[in-house]
């Protein structure tokens, strides 16, 4: 199941890539907006990952991890 | 002693980030988690980063969890009336940019509390391709942890080693759309049960004997997580994002996470208001039982009383507001953020607790130089 989903994601990415033309630097104004970037609010993202990581056994594919927490 | 040294290093780097001749950023965040199972956690956080000569990056951070649990834990002999505890964490990192498109970085992330000591190490490489429309990142992490019971000597603590490798791919699809795909595999080896929890085992004898035994879980665990997401500027000043994550592991836990968020910018980006909604559903671990029943005198090899390994679902909804407080020449932008979220969890086969609802209130301030 994992290999199927991984392969599907790669195919989707390649399809996107095949149909795309590169975004030129003068077109990137909207993409640079902090609401569009994933690393513009690091403290907030870190706090959320930590809170959910202490309450769910699922981890990964979201960012950094590490450290223990006795707050289950 | 370690905390004092780490705090001084973090404070020094924060001051450097505020005074350095270069780009930098500093932020502070405070989250307060409070649920109807009598658990309250205050989580303050400060961090700073500075870029020197457009090539070197330094970062430092400190975070803590101040925990107060007043609920009665019926299976824990250590804390029948709850507990209070503080966890401290540090983050020290450095980065190097050999060229404009590539960044190499490393981090040291230790944390400690009376019953859990963690030494974390991370390294990452990131590069941009295709006129910077593709963002590729690989990162690796290693945690060497010691797990024990509060108040007992270090010699009684047990080891837990966690290693992971992650790959992520980001694509600028068009001037208003991005796509992200991320995969992570994690290996855990060592003690992964709780040193406080005891599990009730019912024997099938005429007396229906019930015994309490220490929790025991497998010492090896392999985790896989795959996430895809997209963000899109759907109209002037409107931003929408949606993501999905699939997770599975060698304990047979499978979960699905879906999330969406919508934000609107006002007054030339000085104010941003937004909302988010996240849904989560998870199956239980293969060795998890709501009630353990065995033949007389026998114990299951693996037995746990951990609700996070039970079958469950939850939703998390939140509202967020961000306001620009100042914009000047030295400190480019200062912003304040306020956020309120509700987390509603439902445990479908965990007898002591059917569910819990929590309110998470957060305040933050950040400055960019």
């Amino acid at each position: 199941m994992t290999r199927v989903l991984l392969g599907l994601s790669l195919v989707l990415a390649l399809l996107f890539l095949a149909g795309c033309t590169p975004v030129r630097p003068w077109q990137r104004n909207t993409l640079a907006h902090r609401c569009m970037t994933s690393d513009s609010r690091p403290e907030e993202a870190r706090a959320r990952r930590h809170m959910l990581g202490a309450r769910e056994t699922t981890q990964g594919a979201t960012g950094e991890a590490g450290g223990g927490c006795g707050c289950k | 002693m370690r905390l004092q040294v780490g705090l001084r290093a973090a404070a020094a780097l924060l001051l450097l980030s505020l005074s350095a001749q270069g780009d930098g950023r500093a932020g502070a965040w405070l989250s307060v988690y409070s649920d109807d199972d009598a658990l309250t956690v205050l989580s303050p956080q400060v961090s700073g980063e500075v870029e020197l000569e457009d090539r070197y990056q330094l970062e430092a951070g400190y975070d803590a969890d101040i925990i107060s649990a007043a609920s009665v834990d019926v299976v824990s002999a250590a804390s029948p009336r709850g507990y209070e505890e503080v966890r401290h964490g540090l983050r020290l990192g450095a980065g190097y940019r050999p060229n404009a498109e590539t960044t190499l970085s490393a981090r040291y992330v230790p944390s400690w509390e009376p019953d859990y000591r963690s030494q974390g190490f991370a390294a990452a490489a990131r590069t941009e391709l295709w006129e910077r429309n593709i963002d590729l990142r690989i990162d690796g992490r290693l945690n060497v942890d010691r797990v024990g019971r509060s108040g007992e000597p270090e010699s009684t603590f047990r080891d837990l080693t966690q290693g992971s490798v992650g790959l992520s791919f980001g694509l600028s699809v068009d001037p208003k759309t991005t796509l992200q795909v991320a995969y992570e595999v994690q290996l855990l080896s060592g003690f992964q049960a709780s040193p406080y929890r005891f599990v009730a085992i019912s024997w099938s004898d005429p007396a229906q004997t019930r015994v309490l035994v220490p929790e025991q879980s497998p010492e090896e665990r392999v985790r896989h997580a795959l996430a895809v997401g997209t963000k899109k500027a759907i109209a002037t000043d409107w931003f929408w994002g949606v993501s999905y994550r699939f997770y599975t592991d060698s304990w047979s836990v499978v979960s699905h996470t879906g999330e969406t968020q919508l934000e609107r910018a006002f007054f030339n980006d000085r104010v941003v208001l937004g909302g988010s909604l996240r849904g989560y559903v998870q199956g239980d671990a293969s060795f998890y039982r709501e009630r353990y029943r065995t033949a007389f005198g026998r114990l299951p090899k693996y037995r746990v009383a951990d609700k996070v390994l039970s079958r469950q679902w939850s939703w998390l909804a939140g509202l967020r507001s961000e306001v620009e407080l100042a914009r000047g020449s030295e400190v480019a932008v200062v912003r304040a953020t306020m956020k309120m979220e509700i987390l509603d969890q439902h445990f479908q086969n965990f007898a002591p607790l059917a569910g819990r609802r929590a309110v998470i209130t957060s305040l933050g301030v950040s400055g960019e130089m």
Side-chain angles (χ1 to χ4, degrees):
Chain A
M1 182 62 163
T2 303
R3 281 195 288 267
V4 169
L5 284 170
L6 183 60
L8 185 62
S9 299
L10 286 171
V11 168
L12 282 171
L14 286 170
L15 283 172
F16 265 112
L17 199 58
C20 291
T21 53
V23 177
R24 303 299 178 187
W26 56 88
Q27 297 175 309
R28 301 185 70 83
N29 189 43
T30 298
L31 296 177
H33 195 284
R34 63 188 182 281
C35 293
M36 291 288 290
T37 58
S38 57
D39 55 1
S40 60
R41 298 152 176 168
E43 294 85 19
E44 184 178 344
R46 204 174 294 128
R48 196 167 196 258
R49 276 197 304 272
H50 183 66
M51 185 272 292
L52 291 171
R55 285 160 190 85
E56 295 173 351
T57 194
T58 298
Q59 287 188 20
T62 57
E64 51 184 274
C69 176
C71 42
K72 287 182 182 176
Chain B
M1 179 65 178
R2 282 177 299 174
L3 174 61
Q4 288 174 1
V5 170
L7 282 174
R8 288 191 185 118
L13 278 168
L14 281 170
L15 287 170
L16 179 65
S17 73
L18 291 168
S19 62
Q21 298 295 318
D23 293 338
R25 187 187 177 285
W29 190 265
L30 173 66
S31 285
V32 181
Y33 169 99
S34 181
D35 69 24
D36 57 7
D37 192 31
L39 173 67
T40 300
V41 185
L42 272 73
S43 302
Q45 186 188 154
V46 292
S47 65
E49 55 190 67
V50 61
E51 189 165 308
L52 304 171
E53 300 177 7
D54 289 332
R55 190 174 287 269
Y56 304 101
Q57 297 164 337
L58 297 174
E59 68 166 305
Y62 166 79
D63 68 286
D65 291 307
I66 303 159
I67 303 153
S68 175
S71 61
V72 174
D73 182 344
V74 295
V75 296
S76 167
S79 57
R81 289 293 174 198
Y83 63 93
E84 292 184 353
E85 198 168 83
V86 180
R87 182 195 71 90
H88 302 278
L90 285 178
R91 192 176 64 260
L92 301 170
Y96 172 63
R97 295 177 67 177
N99 54 58
E101 291 81 26
T102 304
T103 305
L104 307 172
S105 61
R107 281 198 190 101
Y108 173 54
V109 188
S111 70
W112 56 96
E113 56 192 305
D115 53 9
Y116 201 107
R117 322 271 162 79
S118 177
Q119 300 286 333
F121 308 89
R126 182 179 183 178
T127 190
E128 295 175 297
L129 306 170
W130 198 36
E131 299 184 38
R132 308 185 82 164
N133 282 267
I134 291 176
D135 187 324
L136 282 177
R137 179 186 168 109
I138 180 168
D139 61 80
R141 287 186 288 276
L142 177 67
N143 278 77
V144 180
D145 300 346
R146 298 275 289 163
V147 187
R149 286 169 67 103
S150 178
E152 299 201 352
E154 178 82 24
S155 57
T156 65
F157 281 42
R158 299 176 64 174
D159 294 327
L160 172 61
T161 304
Q162 307 178 57
S164 69
V165 175
L167 298 167
S168 66
F169 167 87
L171 173 68
S172 300
V173 178
D174 61 42
K176 294 185 177 181
T177 310
T178 62
L179 171 73
Q180 303 87 36
V181 181
Y183 169 74
E184 183 171 338
V185 58
Q186 188 180 39
L187 286 77
L188 296 88
S189 180
F191 183 73
Q192 297 174 61
S194 168
Y196 298 102
R197 267 193 302 263
F198 289 77
V199 182
I201 311 293
S202 298
W203 284 339
S204 56
D205 59 321
Q208 297 190 354
T209 307
R210 194 165 171 262
V211 295
L212 287 176
V213 296
E215 187 174 85
Q216 189 159 307
S217 63
E219 297 229 327
E220 308 295 326
R221 188 175 189 182
V222 181
R223 293 169 143 157
H224 301 274
L226 177 68
V228 295
T230 185
K231 289 189 179 181
K232 189 167 181 62
I234 55 177
T236 302
D237 295 328
W238 284 92
F239 305 92
W240 172 68
V242 65
S243 63
Y244 165 75
R245 179 179 63 177
F246 172 78
Y247 168 95
T248 185
D249 67 25
S250 57
W251 290 5
S252 301
V253 176
V254 175
S255 76
H256 304 272
T257 311
E259 184 164 3
T260 186
Q261 59 270 138
L262 185 65
E263 293 185 287
R264 167 79 155 96
F266 299 86
F267 309 120
N268 200 26
D269 281 351
R270 287 189 170 85
V271 175
V272 174
L273 301 178
S276 62
L277 181 63
R278 177 185 188 269
Y280 176 82
V281 62
Q282 172 196 300
D284 50 19
S286 58
F287 50 87
Y288 175 85
R289 300 288 182 273
E290 187 169 10
R291 292 178 180 83
Y292 289 88
R293 293 188 179 89
T294 63
F296 180 77
R298 295 178 70 94
L299 296 176
K301 183 179 181 184
Y302 302 125
R303 62 259 176 181
V304 292
D306 189 353
K307 54 184 168 297
V308 303
L309 293 177
S310 67
R311 199 163 59 248
Q312 59 181 275
W313 63 274
S314 68
W315 58 264
L316 171 67
L319 295 173
R320 183 182 186 281
S321 64
E322 181 184 281
V323 177
E324 183 179 299
L325 299 178
R327 182 180 287 267
S329 56
E330 288 292 324
V331 180
V333 183
V334 177
R335 294 190 180 95
T337 303
M338 189 170 74
K339 194 172 172 183
M340 181 162 285
E341 295 172 289
I342 296 176
L343 173 63
D344 194 48
Q345 291 182 287
H346 299 261
F347 305 105
Q348 294 171 282
N349 57 347
F350 183 72
L353 189 68
R356 63 185 171 188
R357 181 168 290 186
V359 175
I360 306 111
T361 308
S362 305
L363 294 170
V365 62
S366 66
E368 295 169 22
M369 286 70 70

